[in-house]
Amino acid sequence: MKQRFARIGCTVLAGMVLSGAVLAQGASTNKQHSLFLWKVTAAKGTAYLLGSIHAAKPDLYPLNPQIEQAFATSDVLVVEANVGDAQNLLGMLGQTMAQGMYPSDDNIEKHLAPATMTMLTNALDKLGLPLTFFESCRPWFLAMTIPMLQLQQAGFTAENGLDMHFITEANATQKPILELEGGEAQIQLMSGLSSQEQELLLESTIEQMDTTIADVEKVIAAWRRGDAAAIDKLMNHQLQEEPKFKPIFKKLIEDRNRGMAEKLAGYLNTSKTYFVVVGAGHLVGQDGLVHLLAQKYKVMQM
């Protein structure tokens, strides 16, 4: 019964995480500052790159008119994963349950060091949740879930996220939607981290719990200024600078950025205009999409 309850808990959490994904917060309605929006111009095609907010508060809206205008004049919406498609969500949920939880005869206590288990138990206590609800969940899934739960408790929801905002608008106007990665591919990437990397990611997530909301507020402020350097420092520098995190950074950021840049290059080889919504952390820094695309195309921050 205890194990069954934990598996049900993971199922519920899977739905929550799939509707929100990993967060990158921020929005701008101040015309006096640069937007966190770039225009990429190629010989044939054009793309607008907008740093995404996968979960947000209602006060995110209305968006700066320049952002909405860029979307309105685009032929295609491009997102990391189309979380507004019911079939996609079902596939992602199935993939998460297959990859994000242990078999019925296994649990997380058998895979984490005692010190990490103590950290996890204390972290869940802070959230007002019992360990039994999470025993079947693998470390990578918990590393995604814990900050999501914190942000939800603080009023951030996936329904108010930029991805859902533009997916809803695209559906209403019958604008085509393309995926840069797809949710199932993202789940495979996370579940493909080694046991050591998953535990390290979970430890880091728990260690940052006390500052999660404050850090989000800092990112929001930088986003509103259009401050790419500040967001790079806030979101990426820990993974970039600490040797133990570098393999994780390569897999979760660098490799994905290069894959997305290659796919965008294909789009830019057409005569269409694309409105691209991706996590803010993927746009910034020397390994970010803005820098990678600027090596081949004209890129301008708006």
Side-chain angles (χ1 to χ4, degrees), residues 83-100:
V83 294
D85 183 270
Q87 285 298 114
N88 280 356
L89 282 175
L90 284 174
M92 293 163 64
L93 179 60
Q95 186 77 7
T96 300
M97 298 314 300
Q99 303 294 331

Side-chain angles (χ1 to χ4, degrees), residues 108-119 199 203:
I108 196 168
E109 294 182 72
K110 298 178 182 179
H111 298 270
L112 295 183
T116 309
M117 275 303 306
T118 299
M119 290 176 64
E199 183 163 355
E203 288 177 0

Side-chain angles (χ1 to χ4, degrees), residues 56-75:
K57 293 182 177 181
D59 61 8
L60 175 66
Y61 303 95
L63 298 176
N64 186 291
Q66 284 185 271
I67 296 175
E68 294 286 8
Q69 180 64 21
F71 172 77
T73 58
S74 298
D75 302 301

